[in-house]
Amino acid sequence: MNSNLILTIVNILINLIDVLFVLLPILLSVAFMTIIERKQLAAHQRRVGPQVVGYYGILQPFSDALKLILKETVIPNQSNKILFYLAPVSTLIFSLLGWSIIPFGDGLTLFDFSLGIFFTLALSSLGVYGILFAGWSANSKYAFLGSLRSTAAMISYELILSSAILIIILLTGTFNFTNIIESQQSVWFIVPLLPIFIFYFIAILAETSRTPFDLQEAESELVAGFFTEHSSVPFVFFFLAEYSSIVLFSCITAILFLGGYNAPELIVNNSIINLQSIILGLKTCIFCFMFVWFRATLPRLRYDQLIELCWVNILPIAVAFIILVPSLLVAFDIAPY
């Protein structure tokens, strides 16, 4: 009995160490994503950007985090305090849980889930609740309007996101991320599915509330959106959740359209060093750059334009591709099922 208890404790400790090995680099990458965005925006706008804290401003994220943590936590009167604190915590947790099924290399994943895509879509849907709770619990009309805008936009563009992913499922015949990566050894899906990639990327811009779809955070109209009343550590949680979602969706995009951790066949690695995680990281950086590039380039849409773009323009195209792609697979007898 004692030996079984010791083995159980050892297994739990090993699993915790595995989680920390994944979680700590992710949190660091999220922190440095903020300084990368500020530097890239400065380059687009012909400014210098942060350069005081640390060499070339590289320690600015830690300075910002310390400043926010030391601020006073202000709770509005007549607010629902439980939901007020639960909203940022749940948003961050759902954002970080998505990393548990990401394959960083061949066999390098915390949980190689056979229904990984369903798991990712479910977490993306649950993230809406944190935003809705944040706006409603604060007892503020600005936060509530921001949360309603955000919820409407996320639910609308989840249809586009799900449609694009459904086409990849029909093409590969699997819900597992590792199997999708292995299906792209001959050609990356971004080549034959370029139109689908375009409306998929528009959908993840809206899902992560990034420009030009950041209507719920329109400073000129809603102060700061659904987290107007949140300060100090709760605000940090929302901030981390937003940038964690950016890096996560960039990684998922690299897996779905750029072959994940697989390198092009022109690159042959004969060394003992496993480059798969580095290759996935470089592909992820491409889409992180695109997130910031779009923010620096495109103006914010009006709310009616945001909803019209989804329901009137993109959704019919997505439905047409859902019918077209399996029809072509059956017509040329190359369906994987």
Side-chain angles (χ1 to χ4, degrees), residues 53 63 107 145 255 268 290:
V53 185
S63 174
L145 285 173
I255 289 172
V268 179
M290 290 179 66

Side-chain angles (χ1 to χ4, degrees), residues 89-161:
V89 173
S90 63
T91 304
L92 179 60
I93 289 173
F94 290 139
S95 178
L96 293 176
L97 276 176
W99 291 98
S100 60
I101 57 169
I102 296 297
F104 299 98
D106 191 9
L108 295 176
T109 180
L110 287 176
F111 183 36
D112 193 14
F113 192 25
S114 59
L115 299 175
I117 288 183
F118 277 162
F119 182 76
T120 301
L121 292 175
L123 290 176
S124 176
S125 301
L126 288 172
V128 175
Y129 288 100
I131 293 172
L132 198 59
F133 289 159
W136 182 82
S137 65
N139 193 31
S140 167
K141 59 184 177 182
Y142 296 106
F144 187 55
L145 285 173
S147 67
L148 289 180
R149 279 186 174 189
S150 179
T151 304
M154 291 179 73
I155 292 175
S156 299
Y157 280 89
E158 272 180 14
L159 294 171
I160 311 298
L161 180 67

